[in-house]
Amino acid sequence: MRVLLTGASGFIGRAVVPMLLGAGVEVHALGRSPVDHAGVIDHPADLLAGVDRSMIEAIGATHLLHLAWEARPGFWAASENLDWVAASIGLVRAFVAGGGRRAVVAGSCAEYDWTGSGRLEEATSPIRPATLYGTAKASLHAVLAKAAPGLGLSLAWARIFFPYGPGERSERLLGSLLEAAHSGDVAKVSEGSQRRDFIHVEDVAAALVAILAAPVEGVVNVASGKAATVRRFVEIATQAAGSADRVAYGAIPTRPDDPPLIEGAIDRLLAETAYRPRFTLETGLADAVARFGVSPPTSD
């Protein structure tokens, strides 16, 4: 297996790389930032500046795992989402031209309609994204799914839910909690009754690698399958970080349109791949906090 990997230096990509290498896979990373991991073959490229078809064809990858996308703060409405749709189509076409026949592309739970029951099934839950990001992902999936048979491409679309873990940016929930714990500040959060399907980033990576290796095609949810309240997430994380007494619940207003429940059904992931989760929410947050290197501030 020779894998072409985009987004290798990103939050999820950094967890994917060692798993691929540990499986004896030849990993070719395509992106703007070099990958700091021995064994990875780097190919510097800016996909948004144009897909270098000749370089991608020359790699001759058998498999593609496409994770790269706009992820900076404000990504929900960023115009770069439009650019990533076009770049992703060009990437897939160049991969196929180079002999590639199996692709896994990262989608998002934001493609689904979040105003319904909350438990989201691949085959039955409506696609009705509320953001440009979700719309761009859903549009890319529709195009690639329709084109795949004619390209001779085996395509799986991994709809990822709410990853957390070591290396998380401070703009995200866990990152903000641990930054506050490190500085001694009070962490400001919502009242926290909304339930979300949180999944450790290394479980996300393991699921993606398992999907890549399996014959499964179409949409596959990548989630824990069991939502927890935001408040419970915050309680576990801050207890592990020693900062449970420095949390202001309700300091951030809950948006009126904030869905009460977003949870992914993972029957297909478990039945059609070799993936099995490693972490519960409790063990996952304990792991993430320990690996952040955060300790409570001293009293002196």
Side-chain angles (χ1 to χ4, degrees), residues 22-37:
V25 171
E26 183 179 315
V27 180
H28 292 256
L30 186 70
R32 289 173 291 193
S33 302
V35 179
D36 186 19
H37 203 297

Side-chain angles (χ1 to χ4, degrees), residues 109 112 118-125 157-162 196-200 203-204 207-208 210-211 216 219-227 262-280:
C109 65
Y112 287 117
R119 183 161 179 83
L120 302 167
E121 306 267 357
E122 297 98 333
T124 59
S125 295
W157 186 265
R159 287 205 179 117
I160 301 170
F161 279 65
F162 295 90
R196 298 290 180 265
D197 196 325
F198 299 106
I199 178 170
H200 193 287
D203 275 346
V204 173
L208 292 171
I211 293 169
V216 59
V219 178
V220 182
N221 285 339
V222 175
S224 73
K226 186 177 181 181
I262 303 173
E263 181 179 76
I266 58 169
D267 307 73
R268 191 163 196 229
L269 176 63
L270 297 177
E272 299 186 43
T273 78
Y275 168 75
R276 293 297 179 269
R278 175 184 169 195
F279 296 101
T280 64

Side-chain angles (χ1 to χ4, degrees), residues 188-194 230-231 248-254 258:
K188 297 179 180 179
V189 296
S190 70
E191 49 85 25
S193 65
Q194 61 274 52
V230 169
R231 188 181 186 102
Y249 293 101
I252 297 177
T254 301
D258 204 8

Side-chain angles (χ1 to χ4, degrees), residues 90-114:
L91 170 68
V92 170
R93 294 184 71 187
F95 165 70
V96 170
R101 291 295 178 265
R102 171 65 174 168
V104 176
V105 180
S108 169
C109 65
E111 298 169 55
Y112 287 117
D113 180 1
W114 284 354

Side-chain angles (χ1 to χ4, degrees), residues 53 90 111 115 128 170 173 189 192 194 221 223 228 265 270 274 289 296:
R53 290 180 63 105
E111 298 169 55
T115 64
R128 195 171 294 120
S170 61
L173 177 56
V189 296
Q194 61 274 52
N221 285 339
L270 297 177
V289 170

Side-chain angles (χ1 to χ4, degrees), residues 161-201:
F161 279 65
F162 295 90
Y164 67 90
E168 187 171 309
R169 297 192 315 269
S170 61
E171 297 88 3
R172 295 172 59 89
L173 177 56
L174 181 60
S176 68
L177 296 173
L178 296 185
E179 184 176 77
H182 184 70
S183 64
D185 292 339
V186 173
K188 297 179 180 179
V189 296
S190 70
E191 49 85 25
S193 65
Q194 61 274 52
R195 295 165 62 199
R196 298 290 180 265
D197 196 325
F198 299 106
I199 178 170
H200 193 287
V201 68

